[in-house]
Amino acid sequence: MKKHLFLFFLFPSFVFAQEPKKGDNTIITTGIDFRHAVNELMDEGYTIEKIDSNFKTARTEFINCPLKTGKASMVNISISIRIKDSSCIITGRWYSELFLANGFGASKPPGPTDIYPIVFTWGANKLTFLRMDHYAKSLKGEISYAKK
């Protein structure tokens, strides 16, 4: 009887754990303050491009988004955060160096039409979303996913 009761309490934690759905573009982590969120971005290797302590927003410069193997990819990512009511709202942008190539390996800086919002789908979008999710999990709060 005790064994069955233990399994009953263990089972809901697996059933109700939320996973991202196709089309999600926002991660919300609760119980986070602004200083912790910004420090964690820097600990993850990001450089802050813009920060506003009054509105509690920050955006990182683009950095390389590594593959699952840890090797460098041709995809670069920037993460934006906003703290509202102790919830960290995380979104991001990405671009591919491959799309910017001028030939012979040279590339130009990305323009507005070269940068895409991060959305949980497939390919580079999924790679960048999972990197954004890695940051969200490093905050150690309760995570939910949304399409906004």
Side-chain angles (χ1 to χ4, degrees):
M1 177 68 177
K2 288 182 183 181
K3 187 194 299 185
H4 295 270
L5 187 60
F6 174 75
L7 291 174
F8 175 77
F9 286 114
L10 186 63
F11 183 70
S13 66
F14 294 114
V15 172
F16 297 114
Q18 186 179 2
E19 293 295 320
K21 294 182 232 40
K22 187 176 180 181
D24 286 346
N25 60 1
T26 304
I27 303 173
I28 302 161
T29 307
T30 57
I32 307 300
D33 68 23
F34 186 61
R35 181 176 295 239
H36 174 65
V38 171
N39 283 336
E40 199 60 41
L41 275 173
M42 293 188 295
D43 289 348
E44 291 278 323
Y46 293 93
T47 302
I48 305 301
E49 178 182 14
K50 290 185 179 182
I51 191 166
D52 186 329
S53 298
N54 292 328
F55 290 105
K56 297 184 179 174
T57 61
R59 182 174 70 200
T60 68
E61 292 180 356
F62 282 96
I63 65 167
N64 186 266
C65 184
L67 300 170
K68 287 181 184 180
T69 60
K71 293 184 179 180
S73 69
M74 296 195 75
V75 175
N76 292 297
I77 181 175
S78 169
I79 292 179
S80 299
I81 61 167
R82 177 180 180 215
I83 305 297
K84 183 176 179 184
D85 301 329
S86 77
S87 291
C88 183
I89 302 163
I90 307 163
T91 58
R93 308 172 301 151
W94 70 276
Y95 73 89
S96 172
E97 294 173 13
L98 185 62
F99 298 156
L100 302 177
N102 292 338
F104 304 110
S107 63
K108 60 180 177 153
T113 59
D114 300 317
I115 299 172
Y116 304 97
I118 295 175
V119 181
F120 185 70
T121 55
W122 57 274
N125 260 311
K126 185 174 181 179
L127 175 70
T128 55
F129 189 92
L130 293 176
R131 183 67 183 157
M132 192 168 70
D133 192 45
H134 180 268
Y135 163 69
K137 289 177 178 171
S138 74
L139 296 173
K140 296 182 174 62
E142 188 175 320
I143 296 175
S144 61
Y145 303 94
K147 182 177 181 179
K148 293 188 176 189

